[in-house]
């Protein structure tokens, strides 16, 4: 800080304190927004990480990992329900068409089991895919960090401008005073 800036602050007060208080208040509000956004995203990130683990197990974990998905599908409550509905439908259709004694019923029942199992596995994978791609506040969080940087930058600029303004006021007062003294016939240093 210059000599004239120091004199200006002594005479007129320090505007930098008010600028810093404003900066701190604005940063505190931005921090609250940032904390809120991160809090809202925290569970989504946990779900995402779990889902990505499940997807990577299925697609990159080998046959044992994939088999777990099929085992889970066949152990689910929906499996028995879908199997029963499919079997009843196949048998009703065969009875209506007189095909109970034909050879088409057993392949149809086997295909039903395959379709139900694969459908449930596909549902699991789709669900994991949805959780693996949550709607996060990443852009908002990045913007909040940018806003905080802008607040600090604007505060630094405002403090510098205030210091320059004070120094200019003091210097202007001194030169104005010297000009007035010269107009009154005062000669500095006994000239």
């Amino acid at each position: 800080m210059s000599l004239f800036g120091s004199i200006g602050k002594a005479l007129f007060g320090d505007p930098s304190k008010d600028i810093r208080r404003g900066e701190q208040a604005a940063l505190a509000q931005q921090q609250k927004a940032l904390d809120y956004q991160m809090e809202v995203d925290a569970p989504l990130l946990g779900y995402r990480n779990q889902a990505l683990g499940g997807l990577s197990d299925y697609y990159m974990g080998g046959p044992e990992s994939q088999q777990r998905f099929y085992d889970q599908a066949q152990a689910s409550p929906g499996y028995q329900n879908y199997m029963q509905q499919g079997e009843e439908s196949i048998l009703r259709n065969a009875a209506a068409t007189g095909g109970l004694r034909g050879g088409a019923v057993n392949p149809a029942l086997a295909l039903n089991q395959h379709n139900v199992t694969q459908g449930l596995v596909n549902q699991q994978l789709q669900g994991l895919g949805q959780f693996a791609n949550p709607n996060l506040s990443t852009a908002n969080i990045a913007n909040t960090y940018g806003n905080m940087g802008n607040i600090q930058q604007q505060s630094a600029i405002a403090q510098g401008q205030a210091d320059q303004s004070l120094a200019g006021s003091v210097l202007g007062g001194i030169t104005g005073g010297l000009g007035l003294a010269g107009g009154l016939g005062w000669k500095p240093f006994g000239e």
Side-chain angles (χ1 to χ4, degrees), residues 17-124:
K17 290 179 184 176
D18 292 331
I19 295 168
R20 279 192 293 278
R21 274 196 298 273
E23 172 192 13
Q24 294 305 315
L27 287 174
Q29 289 301 99
Q30 290 292 309
Q31 187 63 50
K32 284 182 185 178
L34 183 64
D35 292 344
Y36 173 76
Q37 291 165 355
M38 294 173 93
E39 179 183 331
V40 167
D41 279 359
L44 298 176
L45 290 170
Y47 300 147
R48 180 196 66 186
N49 294 341
Q50 283 182 306
L52 288 173
L55 288 171
S56 68
D57 284 349
Y58 182 82
Y59 289 109
M60 297 184 290
E64 307 85 29
S65 296
Q66 288 182 356
Q67 185 60 48
R68 278 196 301 268
F69 277 81
Y70 288 93
D71 293 343
Q72 286 175 349
Q74 290 176 344
S76 73
Y79 178 78
Q80 292 302 322
N81 186 33
Y82 293 139
M83 284 294 294
Q84 183 180 355
Q85 289 176 9
E87 288 172 1
E88 288 173 1
S89 176
I90 291 167
L91 294 174
R92 263 195 318 270
N93 187 34
T97 60
L100 280 176
R101 292 195 171 101
V105 173
N106 285 339
L109 291 173
L111 184 60
N112 177 58
Q113 181 181 9
H114 167 75
N115 289 341
V116 168
T117 303
Q118 191 60 53
L120 290 171
V121 168
N122 289 344
Q123 281 181 349
Q124 288 180 33

Side-chain angles (χ1 to χ4, degrees), residues 143-163:
N143 287 338
T144 302
Y145 276 122
N147 290 342
M148 293 171 87
N150 287 337
I151 289 167
Q152 291 170 326
Q153 175 191 18
Q154 294 302 319
S155 176
I157 290 170
Q159 288 177 36
Q161 289 173 339
D163 288 346

